[in-house]
Amino acid sequence: MLETSNQISHPAEKSICLSRWSNPVVKYMTGEVGSCCKIEQAVTLSLAELEDLGTEAFLNSHFLKERRLEMLEGIRHPSCHTCWTMEDRSISSFRSGPAKFVEHMNYAKGGRGDFNSILQEKTRYLSSHHPVRLDIHFGKACDLKCIYCGDEYSSRWAIGDTNHSSCSEEILRFQDKFWEWYETICAELYQVVLYGGEPMVSPQFYQIVQQ
């Protein structure tokens, strides 16, 4: 939940959220990456960006760094509308706020700065290398057809959608890079959240568990 501080008066106080840095979201079957479980928007990683950035693309794509810069400049991007709407209605949102951000950045960068000093060097803080939570969407393969579900989340509802393992060359490249990246960050993750469909139907579920 959002913390407040009387010592912080920069507009970024009302836009900053650690989840843009610490909570990568990976859509395994579609080759998309994003951040924060509350943000619906994710962006497809191109082969060019994967080749250019390598595994860095999963946490430090051009799109993600642009969104972080906006937060540090006090800009409220529309993709975070869930929290903006709550805060505009004077409801405590899911946004973590400046204190958590400063704590994490001082740990990640080995510094002892405050929020204002970070803002003065904001371009230094656009990259992230210490994710805390990872959300993985394994697609909509599912062996059930629950009445409260639909074709967006269950392959049993998606009429004619029977092939859930067929992937393009681009997606296969994305998946190979994902596992290469996952091996470098899995030991420091506090939480891994799996989405489906039914995650246990996916062979990748057991690969995650084994690692």
Side-chain angles (χ1 to χ4, degrees):
M1 290 296 187
L2 176 64
E3 324 94 350
T4 59
S5 171
N6 294 328
Q7 297 178 343
I8 300 174
S9 57
H10 192 279
E13 176 194 0
K14 296 183 178 181
S15 62
I16 200 69
C17 181
L18 181 58
S19 292
R20 280 288 194 190
W21 283 258
S22 66
N23 180 194
V25 176
V26 175
K27 297 192 175 183
Y28 188 82
M29 300 302 293
T30 58
E32 297 172 278
V33 295
S35 59
C36 182
C37 63
K38 302 300 179 185
I39 299 176
E40 297 178 3
Q41 183 182 29
V43 175
T44 301
L45 279 183
S46 66
L47 277 178
E49 193 163 19
L50 273 176
E51 293 300 324
D52 180 36
L53 299 178
T55 56
E56 281 283 297
F58 289 94
L59 199 51
N60 294 303
S61 68
H62 301 307
F63 173 82
L64 291 177
K65 292 172 80 171
E66 287 172 359
R67 302 290 77 76
R68 291 168 189 161
L69 179 60
E70 288 173 345
M71 281 193 162
L72 290 167
E73 292 179 340
I75 298 172
R76 306 203 317 178
H77 193 270
S79 62
C80 298
H81 66 87
T82 297
C83 286
W84 308 146
T85 300
M86 295 175 71
E87 292 175 23
D88 290 344
R89 295 175 179 174
S90 300
I91 301 172
S92 295
S93 73
F94 303 98
R95 185 168 65 88
S96 56
K100 286 286 186 183
F101 179 78
V102 170
E103 179 184 359
H104 182 85
M105 287 301 157
N106 282 335
Y107 164 76
K109 301 293 184 181
R112 304 184 67 177
D114 59 16
F115 191 58
N116 288 323
S117 65
I118 289 174
L119 293 178
Q120 291 172 9
E121 299 183 275
K122 54 180 173 284
T123 55
R124 180 176 172 236
Y125 293 89
L126 298 183
S127 295
S128 175
H129 302 285
H130 296 278
V132 174
R133 165 178 166 156
L134 172 62
D135 289 39
I136 310 173
H137 295 254
F138 280 138
K140 59 185 178 182
C142 186
D143 54 352
L144 298 175
K145 193 176 182 180
C146 302
I147 60 173
Y148 54 79
C149 195
D151 58 8
E152 182 179 359
Y153 297 105
S154 172
S155 55
R156 290 293 300 276
W157 277 105
I159 299 174
D161 184 10
T162 58
N163 188 354
H164 310 293
S165 60
S166 177
C167 295
S168 66
E169 181 179 345
E170 290 81 2
I171 297 299
L172 291 174
R173 178 63 174 158
F174 172 90
Q175 293 173 352
D176 287 342
K177 279 292 183 183
F178 166 77
W179 291 113
E180 183 181 337
W181 172 68
Y182 182 76
E183 289 179 1
T184 67
I185 55 98
C186 62
E188 62 181 303
L189 290 171
Y190 284 86
Q191 189 176 21
V192 177
V193 182
L194 306 178
Y195 297 88
E198 168 51 63
M200 293 183 69
V201 172
S202 170
Q204 290 76 31
F205 170 82
Y206 301 96
Q207 190 170 352
I208 285 283
V209 172
Q210 289 170 1
Q211 292 183 313

